[in-house]
Amino acid sequence: MKFSKETTTFRESALWSGIILSIIISTLVAAAIFDIYEMRAKVKEIQTFLGGLSVLAASLFSFYASSAAAAETFRRNCQDDDTKNRNIRINMILIAETLRQQSHARLTDLEIHTEKYKLDKIHFKCYSELIISIPEHTEKIWENIAIIPQDIQLQYLNLINFSNMAEQDRISGIASCTFLRDEFSKQTIKAEKILNKISVGNDISDQLNKLNIECNYIGWNRIGSLLAEINNSSISFLRKMEESCNWNPDLPPYPPNFKAHEYTKPKNKPV
């Protein structure tokens, strides 16, 4: 229920009409009481009409009072809705800022682990530290996602999706690495049994050592790109939100040859 300008004007008109009728009725009654200009007899003749005017005036005052109460209730509800929506928007901004900070830190760690992106693979322990934790209350935002425009909804969706993908990719990489190391251990044990626990030759030993090293290292290219996309998406989202549109963050060390997707690339606010 919305109160338009016409409704407000009609409500004010009803108040003034009620006041005018009350003044007229009060004047006629006073004149009848004191019999001014022989008004007592005249008022008696129109007392039914005056009664009707009194009822009309009371109705006008009643309408004004009820509509004023409704307007105040509507104003408070709108104020509560605005406060609620603003809180939701602020929560979304805080989530985006949290993911931006995490992706910035993880990209900085990745640069260090790869010696400024010179290495193709990093140790599984370093890989496992590239964690992106999505805040728990993120899921509650989906219930109120409609309060922001559709293009910003897509930006927020990309941010959360890339964050989930990065964490799933990290878990999958660690699982694959663990599987390879377990297989290496099993094969080593089998080889020792076949050779009747005799020490294997130097060539075979070197090959096993190399294989062991390979089992402990993981390629970082995919998760590096996902971390960069998270950072780009969060920055773009923050620049589109009214409460954070003027914010200018520091960019992390992105992987070489990284090119953000068009729908996640931050856009500068037009001057």
Side-chain angles (χ1 to χ4, degrees), residues 7-178:
T7 303
T8 303
T9 302
F10 183 71
R11 179 162 56 88
E12 293 176 352
S13 299
L15 174 63
W16 285 109
S17 298
I19 293 173
I20 293 171
L21 285 176
S22 297
I23 293 173
I24 294 174
I25 294 170
S26 299
T27 302
L28 291 175
V29 171
I33 292 173
F34 295 103
D35 198 19
I36 301 173
Y37 299 113
E38 299 180 353
M39 289 296 294
R40 183 174 298 173
K42 295 178 180 179
V43 169
K44 286 183 179 179
E45 295 177 358
I46 61 171
Q47 60 181 354
T48 303
F49 176 70
L50 289 177
L53 289 181
S54 300
V55 172
L56 177 59
S59 299
L60 290 172
F61 284 125
S62 176
F63 169 76
Y64 175 81
S66 60
S67 61
E72 178 61 18
T73 301
F74 175 75
R75 186 191 67 78
R76 290 183 179 180
N77 289 338
C78 289
Q79 187 176 25
D80 292 342
D81 289 341
D82 290 341
T83 302
K84 177 183 176 182
N85 291 341
R86 179 174 174 78
N87 289 337
I88 293 171
R89 290 170 63 87
I90 293 297
N91 283 333
M92 295 173 73
I93 288 173
L94 293 177
I95 290 171
E97 172 60 10
T98 299
L99 295 174
R100 185 203 67 81
Q101 291 180 359
Q102 291 186 54
S103 61
H104 190 292
R106 298 294 85 81
L107 285 169
T108 301
D109 292 340
L110 185 60
E111 183 193 36
I112 296 173
H113 297 328
T114 58
E115 300 178 4
K116 294 186 177 180
Y117 299 111
K118 292 179 182 178
L119 304 179
D120 294 331
K121 295 183 179 181
I122 57 176
H123 196 273
F124 78 94
K125 185 178 183 301
C126 297
Y127 189 91
S128 64
E129 293 173 352
L130 302 177
I131 301 173
I132 294 292
S133 300
I134 301 178
E136 294 181 357
H137 59 285
T138 302
E139 295 182 359
K140 297 180 180 179
I141 300 296
W142 297 122
E143 300 174 2
N144 302 282
I145 194 69
I147 68 172
I148 60 176
Q150 288 187 350
D151 60 331
I152 307 181
Q153 290 180 30
L154 177 60
Q155 203 72 53
Y156 187 78
L157 174 64
N158 290 331
L159 173 60
I160 302 303
N161 281 344
F162 280 125
S163 300
N164 283 322
M165 290 169 62
E167 184 60 15
Q168 291 171 3
D169 192 79
R170 187 185 69 85
I171 294 173
S172 177
I174 296 301
S176 298
C177 187
T178 302

Side-chain angles (χ1 to χ4, degrees), residues 217-231:
Y217 281 81
I218 308 175
W220 54 264
N221 186 62
R222 176 177 166 80
I223 197 170
S225 295
L226 289 172
L227 290 172
E229 289 292 359
I230 293 171
N231 193 269

Side-chain angles (χ1 to χ4, degrees), residues 187-216:
Q187 295 301 324
T188 302
I189 293 172
K190 288 181 180 180
E192 290 178 350
K193 288 182 178 180
I194 292 173
L195 296 173
N196 198 20
K197 297 182 180 181
I198 299 175
S199 299
V200 297
N202 291 333
D203 291 341
I204 298 177
S205 178
D206 291 342
Q207 291 179 6
L208 287 174
N209 287 333
K210 289 180 181 179
L211 180 59
N212 187 30
I213 293 174
E214 287 294 321
C215 289
N216 288 306

